[in-house]
């Protein structure tokens, strides 16, 4: 079988964060980031959907074993982000604003090297039910 | 950073409508539109998802400020459609059948000129949890 | 087995309505009902959850056959309300404001006589995901 | 009409928190609260459902105006909790562990005095889709 | 603090089952159970919500540790039911029809003895999004 | 109007299945498929989303009549898969492992010939809320 299929695995994590640009004064940070600039942080239940595209194996019918993918996401992404303060506990955000866009890019970079290069990878990340991001673009 | 990311904002509105082609007699309208042709209208809770694609700003990490986008959708789309009768209260549908396809196109046209031309725009509109449309196509 | 269990069946319908008290002038109707007083109507996707409480039958394990309950709700409630204008098409609301509270009471009254008196009945009705009602109270 | 009905209004807020008992050493805090004891906080999208029970008004068909209730929840609860650090920014939790149980009780106490005593009040609070609490009990 | 609060934990499992009464002939089984009587079984994603009611501990703010409750549900219920054929693999259903009502009662009986008798227990079980049961009744 | 729009219709079905490769011994099947290899089967509530892309008709505003599409999915797909054992009752899986990838491909093949060739077709299939597949790829 040489038909390409996409498979998706959904996971979630809870984290605190703050949107802030240290190059700006507080007035500008407040104007741009509003409530999200609270110096004591706020937080979210992030829903993460990982999409993998490739050909199902002839012997398994799997593009990728979704149990393996779930374990990989847990080890590679959730161990690093779940129940953490993104600004203080996660080195990737020490100089990068943890917007939903940037968190999606960071998660992509964490996973890309762990997944067979023959398979395409895309990240969708929900910060809330109403605000979400996708990287790379379709 | 020159990586393209898509961000999404979800909003909702409630409206009445009727599917009807004035060029047809009632028998043909009933055959084609069935219950949706009720002359006294019926209605829906529409869920609107607006997708914007571009590069996150280096200073903000935002493709677009989702609070700004939410305000823009409210002023441009929801003020016009929310708690309205699409057939009677919205001029765009005076000669256009308010199917989920056509409402999606109308919303795209309302928003396109208000959003930076460097950013791509796509509309997804849920008429019910089971019936939805997307414009333009991916 | 003489253990009481509650079973639930979810259905949905789409309808137009308007909140309005004909004993009031337009100014008062606007002040009280706001956008919901639009004379051309607006509409909703109503989600209806019917709860039945009783003892599972020893031979079936059913409190009530949920397929039978679904058919009963369709014949008794949805035929009357789905794709209708509640104010204009449904006699029960000719002198009763179709608030989510009153629609729940009307649905209860429609179903109560069709269901075995040994079984308890409760209605939950979602007008939107954010606004809903329950009758009778727990 | 003298029939009692319950109506519900759903709102949401985002907050950071930490579970911690200052009377215990870190070892015991870790044993009891695990990842939720992260000193740098984590966070959630809280979903709040407020239930009000009473008789619909004969002139309105409303137990309570759900727009009024939404505004009241915003002023009384969300202004205090949304985009906040519950431990650091909210005085009610300066000596009270912000578990989902205790947050539900605090929200009840904030709202109870603002709502007509003839109406019953109950709070349901979702910390995640999987963990939630209700107060007072049914 | 002597205020009673309910807390809820949601889990899920996947299982095959068949509705069938061996005391009846196939004609009667078909008439009563319809497609659910398929001799080769069909299946569901069951959503299980466990409700525990009691007073939050003064030192923890917990009615019950929801991580402990999740582990208990996994060991006591999911190990027995997840990815199983309820009719063939689960002794509790060797002489009991696995309706959603009866599965809820079986889960209650499995958990009741493992949970402190000072705490009240209630089970809600979703067979599908549209069909669900609750035991004991509220 | 010559604008292309995608429309979607969601349906669901319940089925039992087992993941198994008859060319492998039980040890290898267990290693690869784990709990999904239970010889007595397990099951799922499958959610099926069918996407059709084309130009809305000038007289209807429809890409395709979603009531017609729903009926077509029922006759072509659900009659074959709903309340069935995929391995035993569905000839398409007699030599094909019923993974979510393969079921999506089978559903595509069932529908493709029944839908106007000017219209594009894509299948999304949810095995659980966390595991899903899409074919062909976007």
């Amino acid at each position: 079988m040489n038909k390409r299929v996409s498979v998706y695995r959904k996971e979630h994590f809870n984290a605190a964060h703050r949107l802030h640009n240290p190059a700006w004064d507080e007035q500008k940070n407040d104007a741009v980031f509003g409530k999200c600039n609270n110096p004591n942080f706020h937080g979210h239940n992030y829903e993460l959907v990982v999409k993998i595209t490739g050909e199902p194996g002839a012997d398994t019918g799997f593009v990728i074993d979704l149990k393996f993918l779930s374990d990989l996401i847990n080890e590679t992404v959730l161990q690093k982000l779940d129940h953490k303060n993104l600004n203080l506990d996660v080195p990737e955000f020490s100089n990068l604003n943890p917007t939903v866009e940037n968190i999606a890019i960071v998660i992509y970079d964490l996973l890309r090297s762990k997944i067979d290069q023959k398979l395409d990878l895309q990240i969708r990340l929900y910060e809330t039910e109403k605000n979400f991001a996708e990287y790379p673009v379709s």
Side-chain angles (χ1 to χ4, degrees), chain A residues 46-65:
Chain A
Y46 290 92
E47 296 279 349
L48 167 62
V49 181
V50 175
K51 177 186 183 179
I52 303 285
T53 300
E55 296 180 12
D59 48 357
T60 59
F62 287 164
V63 170
I64 190 172
D65 180 341

Side-chain angles (χ1 to χ4, degrees), chain A residues 11-15 44-46 48 78 81-82 103 107 125:
Chain A
E11 302 286 347
H12 74 273
F13 60 94
N14 308 314
H44 296 290
N45 303 332
Y46 290 92
L48 167 62
L78 304 194
L81 305 183
D82 187 34
I103 305 171
I107 292 172
L125 184 68

Side-chain angles (χ1 to χ4, degrees), chain A residues 15-20 35-43 84-89 98:
Chain A
H17 80 153
R18 175 199 190 189
L19 300 186
H20 185 74
K35 293 184 297 183
C36 299
N37 184 39
N38 177 4
N40 287 330
F41 312 100
H42 64 286
K84 294 292 169 58
N85 183 309
L86 300 180
N87 304 67
L88 300 183
D89 297 330

Side-chain angles (χ1 to χ4, degrees), chain A residues 3 9 17 24 26 29 32-33 43 53 67-68 74 87 94 99 116 119 124 127-128 130 134:
Chain A
K3 293 170 168 175
R9 175 70 191 176
H17 80 153
W24 293 342
E26 275 312 297
N29 271 293
V32 174
F33 298 120
T53 300
K67 176 71 172 64
F68 165 82
N74 271 275
N87 304 67
S94 56
T99 59
D116 188 332
L119 299 173
R124 180 179 278 201
E127 189 175 83
T128 68
K130 294 188 153 190
E134 208 165 52

Side-chain angles (χ1 to χ4, degrees), chain A residues 65-127:
Chain A
D65 180 341
L66 290 172
K67 176 71 172 64
F68 165 82
L69 180 60
S70 173
D71 291 344
L72 181 69
I73 298 168
N74 271 275
E75 290 157 23
T76 310
V77 180
L78 304 194
Q79 293 273 17
K80 201 176 188 77
L81 305 183
D82 187 34
H83 282 76
K84 294 292 169 58
N85 183 309
L86 300 180
N87 304 67
L88 300 183
D89 297 330
V90 184
E92 280 81 351
F93 298 108
S94 56
N95 292 304
L96 184 67
N97 209 11
T99 59
V100 67
E101 293 93 330
N102 282 336
I103 305 171
I105 294 172
V106 164
I107 292 172
Y108 176 88
D109 290 341
L110 287 169
L111 284 172
R112 183 60 276 188
S113 64
K114 305 291 181 65
I115 290 170
D116 188 332
Q117 293 300 315
K118 288 181 300 191
L119 299 173
D120 292 330
L121 170 66
Q122 188 184 45
I123 302 300
R124 180 179 278 201
L125 184 68
Y126 292 79
E127 189 175 83

